[in-house]
Amino acid sequence: MTAILAIDQGTTNSKAVLVSTEGIIVGRGSSPVGISHPQPGWVEQSPERVWQSVLEAIAACLVGAPPVTIAGLAISNQRESVTLWDGETGEPLGPVISWQCRRTAAVCAELNAAGHSARVEALTGLPIDPMFPGPKMKWLLDRAPAGRPLRLGTIDSWLIHRLTGGRAHACDASNAARSQLFDLTHCVWSDELCDLFGVPKAHLPEVRDSASRFGETLGVPGLADGIPIAAAIGDSHAALFGHGAFAPGDGKVTFGTGSSIMTTLPHFIAPKSGITTTIAWSLGGKPTYAFEGNILVSAASLPWMVEILGLPDVQALIDLAETAPPDGPGFVPAFVGLGAPYWHADARALFSGITFNTTRAQMARAVTDSIALQVHDVFKAMATQSPATLGRLFVDGGPSKNAFLMQCVADVLNHPVTQCDAAEASALGAAYLAGLTLGLWEGLEAVRALPRKTFALKPKPTDTARRLETWQDAIFRSTVPVTSSMGE
């Protein structure tokens, strides 16, 4: 059997899956990564541990799989996390600074105050924020030992270095697009941005198509030498590709602690209204662009409410919510502020509109509805800017398996959603790209035709206008400054 070995290197775990030429997963393995918080707001990982976790995931995958011939490797990876290493020895010269890390907040504030935000957003599609790598890369460089041949990059480039025995320093366009150093319209490292953030281009990887030959394995424990690395892509982008969301307007929502929402675009559009623009993937030298919105807290509010109501588990909360009509109070899960499309760091979590008649079921419903209502607001912001109407909408992640929660999304959007039985959506997307590189599948239509277990939920008639009115009132109250003297 011939298969592609896809590595999905995430924040919490590294996973490895074997995908057959029929698009079927025939082996799985995973290994935890570990994360540390050396100071408040700082989040980092060990580059060596990231690499070892990948090796452990590969070993676990191969042990449990049938005998296969590995045609190629594919990489999907956590985005916006960066690290620095010696280009000759491969020795890490700093930590992996996580996408979650806020250590560069002061630098970002200075850049915004100096008036650079509009120009940066026009070139990169991204706001100046500690989430993005430009200032993190400068932080690493400022602390690097002198006289070393430095290599700097996102996690895909770190893994490519290790997988090729140090022979390749490369990344894909989707990861470069999240660096805040990449000009999205010209698809090159920007001299202007590198100068602004203080990052020499000489240290950065070569940017290639997502479906490309990045090099060949050399000296990787458990793998033969000479296996081509045939794809690399950011994990959220990989999930979009894995669903076959290729047409402008097609999109996906990945539900988890927070939510990532992406819709493909016909061309680059500088974003506004609280969303970002990115390169979804690049094929044949041509980028596919996408809008993206990141919700900070979605399903994370469910276990919190379980404890508040004294319920046994999240399913009991959802069952209780399902008994209530959608006409109760509003709930805003702004436990750590609000992300897209509001981007209000000082917003507060709250219930709004509670009366003596409010029931436990209505409060549970307000919490579950907040997942769908946040998605609605992101799509509304996208719709005001995109020339493409919303097409097929796929959902993945743990909460996407719940029919009630996803029916709420379909209802509030007044648009069908497609549930997908694909816990490894990111790994599958990377594997599909590798298959294109290797000629296992000819073109996007062949990838779209690969088997997927899906189920479409159509919207049902509901009083969406009233729910949205309650929601918007709750959002307004959540974002009113604490010192405000606003009356009722």
Side-chain angles (χ1 to χ4, degrees):
M1 179 189 298
T2 299
I4 294 168
L5 177 61
I7 299 162
D8 180 20
Q9 202 297 297
T11 307
T12 306
N13 297 288
S14 293
K15 300 177 183 178
V17 301
L18 282 167
V19 182
S20 73
T21 54
E22 289 76 35
I24 306 299
I25 294 176
V26 296
R28 295 175 173 86
S30 67
S31 178
V33 180
I35 199 161
S36 62
H37 304 82
Q39 296 184 33
W42 290 31
V43 187
E44 63 186 43
Q45 295 174 300
S46 162
E48 281 293 346
R49 178 56 205 157
V50 168
W51 171 239
Q52 289 301 317
S53 71
V54 167
L55 295 179
E56 290 165 6
I58 291 172
C61 176
L62 296 178
V63 165
V68 297
T69 298
I70 299 175
L73 266 63
I75 298 169
S76 70
N77 59 280
Q78 56 170 308
R79 306 176 305 162
E80 296 99 22
S81 298
V82 293
T83 195
L84 179 74
W85 64 96
D86 186 302
E88 293 180 356
T89 67
E91 177 191 355
L93 301 177
V96 172
I97 303 182
S98 170
W99 60 273
Q100 300 167 308
C101 188
R102 308 295 292 180
R103 75 183 65 191
T104 58
V107 173
C108 291
E110 291 173 3
L111 291 168
N112 281 315
H116 294 294
S117 57
R119 179 60 177 165
V120 169
E121 199 158 336
L123 288 173
T124 70
L126 305 171
I128 298 176
D129 185 88
M131 178 178 178
F132 301 110
K136 297 175 189 174
M137 290 181 169
K138 180 64 162 62
W139 190 96
L140 287 166
L141 290 170
D142 286 345
R143 290 154 181 81
R148 304 288 286 271
L150 302 179
R151 285 186 174 182
L152 183 65
T154 44
I155 298 302
D156 60 330
S157 61
W158 168 239
L159 296 182
I160 288 167
H161 174 95
R162 297 304 296 260
L163 289 165
T164 62
R167 291 181 298 177
H169 187 37
C171 71
D172 99 294
S174 74
N175 279 290
R178 306 303 292 179
S179 69
Q180 207 146 58
L181 302 176
F182 198 66
D183 184 327
L184 261 62
T185 55
H186 297 95
C187 293
V188 295
W189 295 120
S190 165
D191 291 324
E192 179 182 348
L193 293 168
C194 286
D195 288 344
L196 176 65
F197 290 104
V199 179
K201 287 171 62 176
H203 301 324
L204 296 172
E206 177 189 348
V207 182
R208 302 180 186 174
D209 280 341
S210 307
S212 295
R213 289 182 177 265
F214 290 87
E216 297 179 340
T217 55
L218 179 66
V220 180
L223 296 179
D225 290 347
I227 300 173
I229 302 164
I233 186 170
D235 53 10
S236 192
H237 313 246
L240 187 71
F241 193 89
H243 290 311
F246 304 142
D250 285 352
K252 66 94 187 179
V253 186
T254 298
F255 292 95
T257 298
S259 294
S260 170
I261 302 165
M262 298 182 80
T263 55
T264 51
L265 293 169
H267 52 80
F268 174 76
I269 299 173
K272 53 186 178 181
S273 302
I275 57 176
T276 64
T277 303
T278 192
I279 293 175
W281 51 78
S282 181
L283 296 173
K286 182 180 179 180
T288 293
Y289 295 98
F291 278 148
E292 181 170 8
N294 295 102
I295 294 169
L296 302 181
V297 175
S298 55
S301 61
L302 302 181
W304 172 82
M305 196 59 185
V306 165
E307 185 173 352
I308 294 294
L309 294 179
L311 296 169
D313 52 35
V314 168
Q315 187 57 53
L317 176 73
I318 295 172
D319 292 342
L320 178 62
E322 197 169 358
T323 66
D327 60 358
F331 171 71
V332 180
F335 296 99
V336 291
L338 287 170
Y342 329 98
W343 292 111
H344 199 299
D346 297 322
R348 304 176 307 287
L350 57 77
F351 282 94
S352 175
I354 294 176
T355 71
F356 280 123
N357 294 322
T358 299
T359 66
R360 295 168 77 248
Q362 287 177 314
M363 295 183 71
R365 180 65 186 260
V367 172
T368 58
D369 276 358
S370 70
I371 295 174
L373 291 164
Q374 289 185 102
V375 170
H376 168 273
D377 287 359
V378 171
F379 274 115
K380 182 179 178 180
M382 291 179 174
T384 62
Q385 302 171 70
S386 176
T389 57
L390 182 59
R392 296 180 302 160
L393 178 60
F394 301 91
V395 292
D396 59 65
S400 72
K401 300 182 185 302
N402 186 276
F404 170 70
L405 294 178
M406 295 305 101
Q407 186 65 57
C408 289
V409 174
D411 293 348
V412 78
L413 293 179
N414 193 29
H415 190 88
V417 303
T418 300
Q419 293 174 293
C420 305
D421 185 14
E424 300 89 353
S426 294
L428 281 170
Y432 296 160
L433 285 162
L436 292 176
T437 303
L438 299 169
L440 300 180
W441 303 298
E442 294 187 6
L444 296 182
E445 287 307 314
V447 172
R448 199 198 307 269
L450 292 171
R452 295 174 177 85
K453 295 180 181 179
T454 62
F455 181 78
L457 291 170
K458 297 181 179 180
K460 297 178 180 178
T462 183
D463 188 1
T464 302
R466 183 174 177 181
R467 294 167 74 185
L468 291 173
E469 183 179 353
T470 300
W471 167 250
Q472 292 301 329
D473 177 72
I475 288 286
F476 171 74
R477 295 174 185 277
S478 172
T479 56
V480 171
V482 175
T483 57
S484 172
S485 58
M486 182 194 75
E488 292 296 319

